[in-house]
Amino acid sequence: MELAYYSDYAVRLVNTEEPARNKDCLTSVEAVRELFGPNRQAARRATDSDVTRFRSVRARLRAVFEAADGGDETLAVDLLNSLLLEFPVSPQISGHETRDEDGKPDWHMHLADHPSNATAGYAAIAAMGLAFHLTSYGVDRLGLCEAPPCRNVYLDTSTNRSRRYCSDRCATRANVAAYRARKRLETERAAETGRTAKTAQATTPSTDR
């Protein structure tokens, strides 16, 4: 498992809430467990108490994305370092059950957490994954969706740093809104041009005798 994979933990957690829509999907222990994806063993550690703890970590992770999106790299790094210190992990070489063409273990780096609860384990992996993404691609690769009212977070892995939206759906919605805005502006300008022409024609002195 590549270390970059772990950065998705942060995105999944932060996007359980849509503040602008007053929507929060993180309301039960079942919702907490779903965030772990295929890591069912870790998910089983979750209890009702983790709901509140997960929300607290979510707010801190969102603050990292907001600082990065606002261009405050130092603040983003400081906030992330605070999470890394509070929720440490131990990197390990792992082969699990995967094998290469020769039948040998497919060695890769793995993050082993030593949590006192499910929140600590998840937060440790999410923070470390986000740290690897930040240092590998840059702070400006942590973004907030520009399609209002959506403010979901995303990780930009595009080659030209061009990503602006959290999903194709938001990108399409933003493009449609921009197109309609341009058409309205064109219509308003055409109407204004027509009114100006009529006014000019009406005020032009007649040369007929």
Side-chain angles (χ1 to χ4, degrees), residues 93-116:
I93 299 175
S94 177
H96 293 308
E97 298 178 357
T98 57
R99 301 281 173 171
D100 60 20
E101 295 179 355
D102 298 325
K104 297 179 180 180
D106 184 13
W107 300 115
H108 57 272
M109 292 301 296
H110 174 79
L111 297 182
D113 59 282
H114 308 285
S116 57

Side-chain angles (χ1 to χ4, degrees), residues 13-69:
L13 176 54
V14 174
N15 288 346
T16 58
E17 181 185 31
E18 297 182 62
R21 294 190 174 102
N22 196 28
K23 182 179 179 180
D24 190 346
C25 297
L26 196 58
T27 58
S28 66
V29 66
E30 288 76 17
V32 168
R33 288 171 178 161
E34 288 179 4
L35 288 170
F36 285 91
N39 192 349
R40 305 313 302 170
Q41 182 176 355
R44 283 194 290 270
R45 293 197 299 258
T47 66
D48 289 332
S49 299
D50 284 298
V51 176
T52 300
R53 289 194 288 257
F54 260 69
R55 286 178 173 177
S56 176
V57 172
R58 179 179 66 187
R60 294 171 67 181
L61 286 170
R62 175 173 283 278
V64 175
F65 279 90
E66 289 177 342
D69 187 71

Side-chain angles (χ1 to χ4, degrees), residues 179-197:
Y179 171 78
R180 290 175 176 172
R182 287 195 301 272
K183 296 302 290 184
R184 284 196 300 270
L185 182 60
E186 291 173 2
T187 301
E188 291 171 358
R189 286 177 175 174
E192 181 63 28
T193 299
R195 287 194 295 269
T196 301

Side-chain angles (χ1 to χ4, degrees), residues 148-206:
C150 181
R151 295 297 282 170
N152 278 353
V153 304
Y154 63 84
L155 300 171
D156 185 4
T157 57
S158 64
T159 57
N160 56 355
R161 300 173 183 264
S162 60
R163 185 169 178 179
R164 296 293 180 269
Y165 307 104
C166 67
S167 64
D168 290 340
R169 178 182 179 183
C170 275
T172 299
R173 183 159 55 84
N175 289 334
V176 170
Y179 171 78
R180 290 175 176 172
R182 287 195 301 272
K183 296 302 290 184
R184 284 196 300 270
L185 182 60
E186 291 173 2
T187 301
E188 291 171 358
R189 286 177 175 174
E192 181 63 28
T193 299
R195 287 194 295 269
T196 301
K198 290 181 179 179
T199 300
Q201 183 178 10
T203 57
T204 300
S206 176

